[in-house]
Amino acid sequence: PPLSPQVVEEGGEEEEEELSGGEESDLRTPSGRGSLLTRRGITLRVLLKDSLVEPGDGVLSIHYLGKKFVGDLLNDGKIRWVETGQIFNSPSAWATHCKRLVNPAKKSGCGWASVRYRGQKLVQYKTSWLHKYQPSADMSLVSEGEDDEMGDEEEEEGKTAVPTDDKNRKNKPDLVPRRGDRERIPVRYCTLGTRDAARDPHTLVELSAFSAINRFQPFNVAVSSNVLLLMDFHCHLTTSEVVGYLGGRWDTNTQLLTVLRAFPCRTRLADRDSASAVEEEICQNLFMRGLSLVGWYHSHPRGPALPSLQDIDSQMDHQLRLQGSSNGFQPCLGIICGPYYHGNQGVASTITPFWVVPPPEQRPNDYGIPVAVEVTYVQDNFLTSDVLNEMMLLVDFYRAAPDLVQFHQFWCPDTTMMDKIKVCSYKNSLTTGNCIPTNFLA
């Protein structure tokens, strides 16, 4: 992957879609909207400014000849290809570039018919803009050349057009949406090289083994099953990323880190006003239970449970802070939970404990090395009342949230989201999934 974003300008004649800022401003004036537009007059910047689409990570995709490409929609209307970080000026530039990688004979194509925004083809948003702002416009001018291209897309993807009635007859259960899956491809640590500010901080990195870097794991870890239960339950409730802290004890004689309690942060990651109050409450709970802060956890709701570059820096920062709080060495455990990634094996979440080894002294500007931590899971004999109470508080916190998981939806054709969370509860505890009252999630 390139070390810095590379702007790619391809797409042949379709690049005429990109207008100057002044021309786009004209489209939003009464006179501009009253004038006759062709499809080239509407750009992603126009749709963004009129709030028909919103910028976001992984919201754009291309399906071509069995291959899928995922892109981020930037604030300026440009597209960043997730896999390489390359920047494209228009849908056509990105579509042409990706298609040529699969089929070098491909000359050009209409990106608006090829690129999808949250599962819908961009051309549909262009048509919506015309219906809203130029209802008297001739729709044949909007779609000039795009109908043929759509037909090509269906043929190239190996699909056969299905009549609407046939589609309705073949409707499947309401599966949980997958449009949030970034499907980012993890990179190996050895490919990162020197730290680069232009690199995407959300780049996922594969974990190394301690043996691969000629080291032994410097501590042992034991994690309570109630910790897994509460942490996984927290991560299942929302499609947004969550975070929490881990409480336990560190025995310097046996070099054993025991994780006894999870403390979910009942706050939004962007809510800085309430964050300090929540953290203060967790500190008091740790003190009252005679526990120490021994780590943290967070979720990758629909992505692999692997650390990003940002996670690696955060973990290193936590390790240094905990180590600086005492005279001796004290480890800090990081855990990533991936509840809704469809690449998981089976229904259960993927739980990834990790630690970060500082880069070699001769390469101080390198990233820290993320390594997998071997953990022993200790089964608790029962579900404690404080864990049960914390689960109830979490449900109350997310009950009215717009990103609350819809538990009636199907995770897979024969398993609902409610069934999934019960299975995960059973795997994380000696008690059955029915230990969670169903009225929790009603």
Side-chain angles (χ1 to χ4, degrees):
L3 295 180
S4 58
Q6 176 184 355
V7 178
V8 179
E9 297 182 354
E10 298 185 28
E13 296 179 356
E14 293 300 327
E15 279 305 300
E16 294 175 19
E17 294 174 0
E18 292 301 314
L19 305 179
S20 66
E23 290 173 300
E24 289 179 353
S25 298
D26 291 342
L27 297 181
R28 271 171 293 282
T29 63
S31 59
R33 283 177 176 162
S35 61
L36 188 61
L37 295 180
T38 67
R39 63 192 178 96
R40 301 186 193 278
I42 307 170
T43 68
L44 277 176
R45 287 197 295 268
V46 172
L47 299 184
L48 283 167
K49 290 178 180 178
D50 286 331
S51 301
L52 268 73
V53 297
E54 296 179 350
D57 294 342
V59 297
L60 300 177
S61 62
I62 297 173
H63 296 263
Y64 181 67
L65 296 180
K67 300 293 184 181
K68 181 178 180 180
F69 304 89
V70 181
D72 303 332
L73 178 56
L74 306 181
N75 292 325
D76 59 1
K78 294 183 179 180
I79 300 170
R80 178 174 58 214
W81 185 16
V82 168
E83 187 170 344
T84 65
Q86 291 171 283
I87 305 296
F88 295 85
N89 284 331
S90 70
S92 296
W94 184 42
T96 302
H97 179 83
C98 293
K99 290 179 181 180
R100 284 176 180 170
L101 294 177
V102 180
N103 177 19
K106 183 69 176 176
K107 299 297 183 182
S108 64
C110 176
W112 291 82
S114 305
V115 179
R116 298 173 183 266
Y117 173 80
R118 299 192 183 278
Q120 298 293 328
K121 291 186 177 182
L122 282 177
V123 66
Q124 295 175 275
Y125 293 90
K126 179 188 292 188
T127 303
S128 297
W129 190 96
L130 263 290
H131 278 301
K132 183 176 181 180
Y133 295 117
Q134 288 197 343
S136 61
D138 184 354
M139 290 298 121
S140 64
L141 293 175
V142 180
S143 58
E144 60 178 25
E146 288 172 352
D147 292 337
D148 293 337
E149 181 64 29
M150 287 187 199
D152 292 341
E153 289 298 315
E154 297 295 330
E155 184 178 349
E156 288 166 349
E157 293 178 20
K159 299 177 183 177
T160 303
V162 180
T164 303
D165 292 342
D166 292 344
K167 288 184 178 179
N168 293 336
R169 285 196 295 269
K170 295 180 180 180
N171 276 343
K172 294 183 178 181
D174 183 19
L175 298 180
V176 63
R178 301 190 186 189
R179 63 172 179 262
D181 291 10
R182 290 278 318 259
E183 296 193 12
R184 293 171 291 175
I185 300 177
V187 302
R188 300 179 64 184
Y189 175 81
C190 60
T191 66
L192 293 176
T194 305
R195 185 180 295 272
D196 184 357
R199 189 184 291 274
D200 184 358
H202 299 103
T203 300
L204 299 181
V205 183
E206 295 179 357
L207 294 179
S208 302
F210 277 100
S211 58
I213 56 176
N214 298 318
R215 294 200 184 194
F216 293 100
Q217 184 171 310
F219 52 88
N220 298 315
V221 181
V223 179
S224 157
S225 62
N226 277 342
V227 170
L228 285 179
L229 176 65
L230 181 55
M231 180 177 62
D232 196 28
F233 182 80
H234 183 198
C235 297
H236 267 90
L237 292 179
T238 172
T239 57
S240 298
E241 186 171 320
V242 302
V243 68
Y245 292 102
L246 303 173
R249 296 187 178 94
W250 166 241
D251 190 325
T252 56
N253 295 322
T254 61
Q255 298 290 287
L256 175 63
L257 184 73
T258 307
V259 184
L260 299 171
R261 181 70 157 81
F263 295 91
C265 291
R266 295 190 301 275
T267 183
R268 297 290 180 177
L269 294 184
D271 188 0
R272 299 183 180 273
D273 295 335
S274 62
S276 58
V278 171
E279 291 183 351
E280 178 62 28
E281 179 184 352
I282 292 176
C283 287
Q284 292 178 4
N285 286 331
L286 284 167
F287 178 77
M288 288 189 299
R289 290 173 171 80
L291 301 177
S292 301
L293 180 64
V294 296
W296 67 300
Y297 71 87
H298 73 286
S299 67
H300 288 178
R302 294 175 177 170
L306 291 172
S308 64
L309 294 178
Q310 181 175 310
D311 296 336
I312 292 172
D313 287 341
S314 296
Q315 173 65 19
M316 178 61 73
D317 184 53
H318 292 324
Q319 289 176 195
L320 294 175
R321 290 189 179 187
L322 278 187
Q323 200 166 332
S325 63
S326 61
N327 295 327
F329 168 79
Q330 178 183 339
C332 173
L333 181 68
I335 297 180
I336 302 174
C337 178
Y340 294 120
Y341 178 53
H342 283 272
N344 291 343
Q345 294 183 352
V347 175
S349 306
T350 299
I351 308 292
T352 304
F354 76 105
W355 200 60
V356 174
V357 175
E361 291 185 0
Q362 63 271 25
R363 299 182 62 87
N365 293 324
D366 283 7
Y367 295 96
I369 307 171
V371 290
V373 174
E374 294 185 5
V375 172
T376 299
Y377 295 106
V378 180
Q379 291 285 357
D380 291 305
N381 292 326
F382 55 90
L383 182 66
T384 60
S385 59
D386 64 327
V387 171
L388 188 61
N389 181 62
E390 184 63 49
M391 295 167 74
M392 295 174 65
L393 292 174
L394 284 170
V395 172
D396 287 340
F397 179 79
Y398 290 106
R399 188 183 302 276
D403 51 358
L404 175 70
V405 169
Q406 302 302 309
F407 291 98
H408 66 276
Q409 289 185 326
F410 280 78
W411 164 248
C412 57
D414 58 349
T415 304
T416 65
M417 303 300 295
M418 179 68 77
D419 295 333
K420 181 184 186 305
I421 197 170
K422 287 183 178 181
V423 170
C424 291
S425 300
Y426 177 78
K427 290 179 178 294
N428 291 330
S429 175
L430 281 178
T431 52
T432 67
N434 291 328
C435 70
I436 305 174
T438 55
N439 62 346
F440 264 29
L441 306 174

